[in-house]
Amino acid sequence: MEKKNTIESSELVDINSIQAINRRSVRQRLREYKKSPLSLVLFLFVILAAVVTFAVLLFLIGYILVKGIPNLSLDLFSWNYSTENQSMMPALISTIFMTLLSLIIAVPLGIGAAIYLVEYARRGNKIVGAVRMAAETLSGVPSIVYGLFGMLFFVTTLHWGYSLLAGAFTLAIMILPLVMRTTEEALLAVPDMLREGSFGLGAGKLRTVFKIVLPSAVPGILAGVILAIGRIVGETAALIYTSGTVAAVPKTPMSSARTLAVHMYALTDNGLYMEQAYATAVVLLIVVLVINFLSAVLAKRVAAKSIER
Amino acid sequence: MEKFKIENLDLYYGNFQALKNINLNLEANKITAFIGPSGCGKSTLLKSLNRMNDLVEGCSITGNVLLDGEDIYGDMDVNHLRKRVGMVFQKANPFPMSIYDNIAFGPRTHGVRGKARLNEIVEKSLRDAAIWDEVKDRLKKSALGLSGGQQQRLCIARALAVDPEVILLDEPTSALDPISTSKIEDLLLSLKNNYTIIIVTHNMQQAGRVSDKTAFFLLGEVVEFDDTLKIFNNPSERRTEDYITGRFG
Amino acid sequence: MKQRVLELVFRILFLIAALASILAVILICIFLFANGFPPMAEIGVFDFLFGMDWSPVDVPPSFGIFPMIVGSLYVTAGAIIIGVPIGILTAVFMAKFCPKRLYRPLKPAVELLAGIPSIVYGFFGMVVLVPLVRELFDSKGASILTASILLGIMILPTIIGVSESAIRAVPNSYYEGALALGASHERSVFFVMLPAAKSGIMAGIVLGIGRAIGETMAVMMVAGNQARMPDSILEGVRTLTANIVMEMGYAADLHREALIATAVVLFVFILIINLCFSLLKRRMK
């Protein structure tokens, strides 16, 4: 597309006032399809697939909300869980603890690792390749395998027992590659100009990283952290045999605790508490919706910023 | 005999007018060159002739473009138009498939079946594009393995394979070395008996060497359109002379 | 001087952080293999992998996981058959057919599909898909088919996301070249752009296979979990993952170790899939 740098005001026209000839009407399009039935078939398949995908998503969310919201009651948010009242409050609190603990472990590690890969490692460094491969392997490991590893290592070998801490460490390993990768991308998006400017003023590497590079990478890192929260909140299989399924508010990090997702599994497992399961599903879904919304907003801000440059 | 008749053509990118009141008659079986500085609208006009501008968001066109008297922005099937008016791009763009499949893509699209018939078309197109001898032993190899000049000739062969009436070339040699460039220029001269050729070029000497007619563009307008010899030796417009003698552009 | 010490300390800290993921992989391998291979040897590798009978609490017990291997493969294959065509076509829609105004809400919708917890998917399958399949086919409901449909939905976001970026990575000049030859939009997309995006799309499929074979909770809630060879897709089946979760809670001794060995088999599958994925990704570049 050719464009000139200067646009004189005389060249500006109200584009809506003219009758452009290069628009194809629906009728013309249909005629083209008539001549090429294969194109029409392909077009229909594409549309059909997209409709199926998004209809399934809408139906799933709609179904859970419609069937679940009437089952939400204040009793379900009372402090104590009992066989009479399957309160999700303890699970909700455990979920928050679990999320915080996992993030405290994984985020510094992930950010530190990303800083090493982007800011310190030289090109062709063997460690970089190995770290990348390890991260790639980790991100493909199914959560049940994480769960078993957590059980063998944290619960049994380290004698932590079923505990919040064992669960948090297991999840931390699980989300580490995610945090690492998003941070890496955010750091790479910081223009070298900023670094050079900082070095030019005589700032050391460490100062440059903490004062210049990290602050401009914050939205990207945050978007990754939010995605990680989503995974923690939704995780079940990795937690059943690491943090256990005790349905009480945990007193210490060494207490066993069930998160909301595990709570929901426990409710569905014996088929007795379907109403409560619906209600829990609603809460989980809303959390996921909020998380996705936040990460989308952040991602948009990151994108807008990179266009500005 | 005129092939393309362009009448009162205006083209806008959003609010910006890129072409202003273009009136041109392009003759059949001649090579017409569009010259002018960057941003003058010559490529834009070229892309209006096979409606590739339709892909550009916010592009609006008014006026008439007639191909053999028929309005190409009217009821004509766009795909059929593009079959009749082929295009070769600035940067060679062979598909990431074998040389054979590259050439056969067009004919297959337009319903040619049968191995023998396809083989025939492939060989003829490659011969016409003067690249047959270089690729005949590696038809099944990827087209991406060819050199830049060979790729561009392959793209010309690919355009020929759908049996077009007009071939549009958008600065086809700007990325090529002098030897490849001269091969393509020779090729164009050999093709003009059977096709109407319109070429956009930055290279004044190229326009002088290959074209019969030349249109000089400036700021979205056709300043002068005449026989190439006249344009280069005795232009009527001062601005044309300034550009050709290298005073700007 | 103090400054230089600080620089060095942090450099080492960052290096340690980077090494953490390598350490994690090594630990996972060691603990799984060290706990999984001995029972395999005790049971007999062949009897374990290809044994048809899983009766861990019988006397004498029998630990054959072949029905579960087959079960995992069946539901994964089913998920691929259902999820791949829909996923690729939706990716084509997103990349080449979707108007910009529609794209803005749809892209986050695909990400939402990825963000829904598997327990919620499983629950949805349990209350919607299982009764549906039961009605439609007059069968038990919890079956290979049900699990395949649910897994097919669950791998959609993976396939759509990877395929869409692969299609977007194809140079636009290919598309223009095809159009200029008189090919329609659909032909240009399907016969030029899609083949050019092939290895990227394959990578997406491989990733989807990994997701499907490793999925645990959702599959367990809809697959029926019978540890025997199925005769039809309307019969229930138990996957490797379900086997672990269902029995780990009460298993002891060799039974417990056999479950860890089951995880080792699953882990080896995943490692192979990961390897395929990295090879494909390398080929993309």
Side-chain angles (χ1 to χ4, degrees), chain C residues 156-229:
Chain C
L156 277 180
T158 307
I159 303 214
I160 294 172
V162 180
S163 304
E164 188 195 336
S165 28
I167 295 169
R168 284 190 188 278
V170 174
N172 212 32
S173 64
Y174 294 163
Y175 173 68
E176 289 181 348
L179 277 197
L181 291 169
S184 65
H185 175 67
E186 289 79 9
R187 266 183 178 277
S188 309
V189 170
F190 277 88
F191 299 120
V192 175
M193 304 209 52
L194 271 192
K198 199 173 46 191
S199 35
I201 293 173
M202 280 303 292
I205 295 174
V206 170
L207 213 56
I209 294 176
R211 288 280 135 82
I213 210 166
E215 179 50 47
T216 311
M217 304 315 289
V219 129
M220 193 172 87
M221 291 163 85
V222 299
N225 303 324
Q226 295 88 334
R228 50 160 170 68
M229 294 295 280

Side-chain angles (χ1 to χ4, degrees), chain A residues 33 39 49 53 57 61 63 109 113 116 120 131 136-137 140 144-145 148 151 153 157 205-206 241 264-265 268, chain C residues 7 10-11 14-15 17-18 31 89-90 109 113 119 123 184 186 216-217 220 245 248-249 263 270 274 278 281:
Chain A
Y33 279 134
S39 299
T53 300
L57 175 68
I61 294 174
Y63 189 89
L109 273 180
Y116 182 80
Y120 284 85
V131 172
E136 224 165 77
T137 309
I144 181 65
V145 173
L148 272 201
M151 182 191 83
F153 185 58
T157 308
K205 187 138 208 167
L206 199 58
Y241 298 115
M264 184 169 164
Y265 167 64
T268 56
Chain C
E7 291 271 350
F10 267 90
R11 196 194 167 89
F14 292 145
L15 177 62
F31 272 82
L89 286 169
T90 305
L113 208 50
I119 184 83
F123 185 66
S184 65
E186 289 79 9
T216 311
M217 304 315 289
M220 193 172 87
V245 174
M248 197 45 125
I270 291 292
N274 270 359
S278 345
K281 240 174 87 178

